[in-house]
Amino acid sequence: QVQLAESGGGSVQPGGSLRLSCAASGRFSHTYALGWFRQAPGKEREFVAAISWSGGNTNYADSVKARFTISRDRDRNTAILEMNNLKPEDTAVYYCAAAPWPLKRGEHWGQGTQVTVSS
């Protein structure tokens, strides 16, 4: 069984920043990519960003490029999403996911953390 635990969501004004963390544990394949998806009210879940097991490859949705940065810590079991210049349209529940690269679809999911961008 794989557990993914997100933290770091919250509320921020437009132009602000937040940092999300995803810690993986359990029977976690150490070749898995880690990434983030998000789901806004009334919309489908969409891909945000992903990072390969080695950290050498990353991928971002066009809507977040140059604003969001994904990284992986030294033990590779934790992924960090740095979100800058946040916009109201970034408001959503953010879900951590794990799967083989390129992580187009998650095999394991976290519970989700709310991000709200509002003035």
Side-chain angles (χ1 to χ4, degrees):
Q1 191 173 2
V2 174
Q3 292 85 39
L4 300 175
E6 302 106 333
S7 61
S11 296
V12 66
Q13 293 186 340
S17 299
L18 283 174
R19 183 174 184 264
L20 303 183
S21 178
C22 172
S25 61
R27 294 185 178 183
F28 178 68
S29 171
H30 294 285
T31 61
Y32 270 7
L34 289 174
W36 296 89
F37 291 69
R38 66 186 182 187
Q39 188 167 18
K43 295 187 177 181
E44 293 187 354
R45 190 172 297 189
E46 64 176 4
F47 171 80
V48 176
I51 186 166
S52 63
W53 177 77
S54 68
N57 294 294
T58 57
N59 191 26
Y60 297 91
D62 288 343
S63 59
V64 306
K65 280 181 182 176
R67 298 189 299 123
F68 291 11
T69 302
I70 190 169
S71 61
R72 200 153 179 170
D73 69 353
R74 188 170 296 179
D75 69 10
R76 299 190 176 96
N77 288 340
T78 300
I80 305 296
L81 185 67
E82 299 278 359
M83 304 185 294
N84 297 312
N85 191 21
L86 283 160
K87 304 176 180 181
E89 51 264 41
D90 294 317
T91 295
V93 177
Y94 283 68
Y95 296 91
C96 179
W101 181 260
L103 192 55
K104 291 298 185 182
R105 179 178 297 179
E107 291 187 2
H108 304 282
W109 295 93
Q111 294 291 328
T113 185
Q114 178 70 46
V115 171
T116 302
V117 185
S118 174
S119 56

